Each structure stands twice: as structure tokens, then as C-alpha cells.
Amino acid sequence: MVVQLRICVPGELSAVTVQTCRDQRGVAEVTVAKGVAVVPPGDVIEVLIARESVEELLEKLEILKIRDAGSIAMTTPEFVLSRKADRAERAAPGDGADAVIWDDVTRQTGEDSRLTWNFIAFLVLATQLAGIGIVTDSPIAIVGAMAVGPEFGPLAALAVSLATRQWKLGRRAAVALGVGFPVAMLLAALTAWLSVPLGLFPRDALDKGSAVEFIYHPGPYSLIVAVLAGIAGMLSIIGRRSAALIGVFISVTTVPAAGYVAVALVLGEYQKAAGSALQLLLNLVGIVVAALAVLLFYRVVARRLPDGVARRLQRQRSGARR
């Protein structure tokens, strides 16, 4: 698994950046295009590197303050035929699937944690599907609501913010959840309130829903499933395995629990509403705690740059800027 980095740097930092890339273990190719960058003016450096070496190289480039002086873009080629790339992957420590690129994880979770109209729309649609599944005793509709729900993004962002102390990311995710869920639940309650007099479902609909009893009966397995889903979800983000996220969405009952709270309150089933609210809380907390545990584990086992390397790079940068 190889990654391509495109680094745009001012001319005075080009030489030290190229040397840093060349010295990095796991690098297969380094290409320099002199003076092709116009805004800002400078050179463009392209690096083909094993994925497991990317984080270490990015740490070095951060010390050189390339992000401030220019830019770094990362892409993953679909197909690479290169014996040098094969040797670079073998030389790099670990495995690409296990490598954490922290900036990439932050970017992925950050994109999914914003309070946008798109996020609210998907959460509202998912909660409406859950409400329909609840009053019709339809597990298929419940599963559909789980798959459509977008709540894992902000939950993962909360875990990332706690692990990396990026509090702005955490506040943004908390706002998305704190606004999105109440809006979705309020609209689900309004829909249920309008549906009863229209005869779309009877007032005793919740007494007949044997297939969805698990939603308002939280237990030890509710927390266990949430923890497992949080672990699987964060691992899928780290390894860029988007297909696995669908399974994570379907395994947790956050959206169905939110929908059940709304419907149960409208129908006066306050005990079932309380049980569903507890189910919702267990899922939210379990996912965040488990995802945070995964990130902290990777923080502990991740290789860090020796202090000598950091000081050497800082001296090289200072010398290049003179």
C-alpha cells in the first residue's frame, strides 16, 4: 500500500525538504519540479512512499513548517507497478493497513462532524424510518434507519478530539449531535402526533411491537455491541475501509432509540421512552469510549521521532531560511 505526497515549498526550503524525503525509510521515489509553483512561488516535490512511513515523514515536515510555508496533499494511487515501491514497503516498519495518519483521521472525522443541512436531513430521514419501523413492527425499516443514520461521524470526531486535544473539533461534533438529534426527534414526534388521528397506526401500536422490543430494553449487550461497533468503526476509519462502516451503522441502535423515544412520548408510553433514552445514551457513550480507546492504543504504540532528529531538522530549516 503506497501513498503519493505532493509537497509545494518555497525555493529556500526545497533542498532540505528533498533531503528529508530521500532519507525517510519507505520512500520509493522523489521527484522535484523546480519553479513550477506560482502561488505561492516555489518548487513542487512528489514522493511515492509506503503508507506505514507517511506519519513519520509528516512529523518531519511539520518540524520544517512546510504546512505554514506551502502545502502537502496526499493521494492513494489505484494501481502502482514498481519494484522500488515493493522494496520500499518491505523496508518500512509495520503494515500499511495498521498505520495511523493522524491528519487524515482528523480530516475524515472532521468532514463528517459538521452541523450541515445534509447531516440534519439524513438524521431526520433515518429517525422517520425508525419511527415507521417501530409502529409497523418492521425490522427491515429499523435496519434501514441504522444504515442511513449519519451519527457515527460526530461520535468518531469526539473520540479524535479527546485523543488529540483538538477541542474545536470536539465542540463542532457536540453541536452536530446536540442539535441534530433533538431536531430529528421533534420532527419524528410531530409525524407520530399527526399520524394517529389520520388512522395510520393505532395508539396501542407499541404494545404489539415484539420485533423491536430490544430498543427499549437496554442491557449489558447493548453496551457491548456499542463498544464493539466503536472499535470496528474507528479501525475502519484508520484503515480507510469504508465498506466496514456500513456494518457498524447497522449494528448500533442510536437512531432507532431516538425514534422510539419520540414515538413513545407521543403515545404516552413514558416507561418505554425512558428505556429507549437509556439505550440511546449507552450507544453514544459506548461508541465514543471504545473509539477513544483505539486511538489511545495507537498513540502508545506509535513510533516517535527521536529528539535528535527534531533538533537537526530545526537547525536545517533555520539555515535554509537565512
Side-chain angles (χ1 to χ4, degrees), residues 17-322:
T17 303
V18 169
Q19 190 60 50
T20 301
C21 294
R22 291 183 64 181
D23 293 343
Q24 175 62 48
R25 183 167 53 169
V27 167
E29 297 175 3
V30 179
T31 306
V32 183
K34 292 283 188 180
V36 299
V38 178
V39 181
D43 302 341
V44 173
I45 304 166
E46 291 190 351
V47 183
L48 195 65
I49 179 174
R51 191 176 190 274
E52 50 268 43
S53 294
V54 171
E55 179 61 26
E56 185 175 341
L57 179 57
L58 289 178
E59 287 186 36
K60 294 177 180 178
L61 296 177
E62 184 67 25
I63 294 170
L64 294 174
K65 298 186 178 180
I66 301 302
R67 185 187 311 205
D68 298 332
S71 65
I72 305 170
M74 186 181 77
T75 56
T76 303
E78 290 288 336
F79 185 65
V80 176
L81 279 177
S82 169
R83 294 195 184 278
K84 289 183 179 179
D86 294 339
R87 288 196 294 270
E89 285 192 87
R90 288 194 294 269
D95 190 275
D98 295 328
V100 181
I101 303 174
W102 289 99
D103 286 324
D104 185 41
V105 172
T106 301
R107 181 194 60 80
Q108 288 188 68
T109 55
E111 288 178 352
D112 296 332
S113 65
R114 293 183 175 89
L115 180 63
T116 62
W117 290 114
N118 186 273
F119 174 82
I120 292 178
F122 270 102
L123 192 55
V124 167
L125 290 172
T127 310
Q128 295 289 342
L129 278 173
I132 292 172
I134 289 163
V135 299
T136 60
D137 197 24
S138 171
I140 295 176
I142 296 294
V143 171
M146 293 175 177
V148 172
E151 74 280 4
F152 185 79
L155 294 175
L158 280 176
V160 171
S161 72
L162 292 171
T164 61
R165 298 183 181 181
Q166 298 184 55
W167 308 125
K168 183 178 179 180
L169 176 64
R171 287 194 298 270
R172 192 167 60 202
V175 168
L177 293 170
V179 174
F181 268 108
V183 169
M185 293 167 70
L186 181 62
L187 291 176
L190 178 61
T191 302
W193 181 72
L194 293 174
S195 297
V196 173
L198 292 176
L200 296 179
F201 64 87
R203 284 194 167 273
D204 61 349
L206 298 186
D207 297 332
K208 304 173 183 178
S210 59
V212 294
E213 285 184 0
F214 69 94
I215 298 176
Y216 62 88
H217 280 155
Y221 281 109
S222 300
L223 183 59
I224 292 171
V225 169
V227 168
L228 294 176
I231 294 172
M234 188 51 66
L235 288 175
S236 67
I237 289 175
I238 290 172
R240 283 182 160 265
R241 300 179 183 273
S242 57
L245 277 176
I246 300 299
V248 173
F249 296 160
I250 295 175
S251 65
V252 293
T253 54
T254 47
V255 167
Y260 208 109
V261 170
V263 174
L265 287 176
V266 169
L267 298 181
E269 298 280 0
Y270 302 118
Q271 188 172 355
K272 291 179 180 179
S276 302
L278 180 58
Q279 179 80 270
L280 176 61
L281 180 63
L282 286 175
N283 275 267
L284 295 176
V285 173
I287 290 172
V288 173
V289 170
L292 175 61
V294 171
L295 293 172
L296 293 179
F297 171 78
Y298 274 97
R299 279 285 191 190
V300 171
V301 302
R303 297 172 68 250
R304 294 295 176 188
L305 287 178
D307 291 337
V309 173
R311 287 194 295 268
R312 175 176 58 80
L313 289 171
Q314 288 170 347
R315 287 196 301 269
Q316 289 177 340
R317 185 184 190 278
S318 298
R321 297 289 290 189
R322 291 194 186 116

